[in-house]
Amino acid sequence: MAGKILLEVVTPEKLLLSQEVDEVIAPGSEGEFGVLPGHCHLLSSLRIGELRYKNQDAWHYMSILWGYAEVTPSKVTVMAEIAEKAEDIDVGRAQQAVEKAEQRLQAGGLPSEVKEAQISLEKARLRKKIADRAKKSGHA
């Protein structure tokens, strides 16, 4: 396994990915962090964001909605509340979700409703961005 690191992405429902990769970039709660083979031990919480991983000179993308990442020199385990591969995201549905979330946010309401609308918009924009990026790079 020289030069590779095992990436596993797990959600409460299933093991979404288990693959040897060259590099991982994850959305840590304090900012993005990168992992290469031989990385020191690390435990980080994750925010809503994009997980990128490189395999054989090609980048692949996933949406991550909260969770934790455990890093060892030979493995990255991502335990996410929700995770989705770019190729599984429908760009049209993602665009509709962005528009609906924007409408909810404009409608206003109680502070809790506004916060929920902001989170919905952030998630929808992330999904659309990842789906668009994968489509442009030919991985969708």
Side-chain angles (χ1 to χ4, degrees), residues 3-66:
K4 297 281 187 179
I5 190 164
L6 179 63
L7 171 61
E8 290 191 338
V9 179
V10 181
T11 67
E13 291 80 32
K14 64 182 174 183
L15 174 64
L16 188 61
L17 179 76
S18 181
Q19 182 177 349
E20 289 185 348
V21 300
D22 301 312
E23 182 178 354
V24 178
I25 299 175
S29 58
E30 300 298 318
E32 286 188 336
F33 62 91
V35 179
L36 295 169
H39 196 286
C40 65
H41 290 263
L42 170 74
L43 183 61
S44 176
S45 57
L46 300 174
R47 60 177 166 75
I48 295 175
E50 177 181 65
L51 177 81
R52 302 186 300 273
Y53 58 97
K54 185 178 179 184
N55 196 13
Q56 299 176 2
D57 297 325
W59 284 97
H60 304 272
Y61 310 94
M62 297 179 77
S63 65
I64 298 292
L65 307 178
W66 305 287

Side-chain angles (χ1 to χ4, degrees), residues 88-104:
D88 296 337
I89 299 172
D90 180 316
V91 179
R93 283 185 60 211
Q95 179 59 41
Q96 289 174 346
V98 168
E99 292 166 5
K100 183 178 178 182
E102 286 173 342
Q103 290 170 358
R104 283 181 54 206

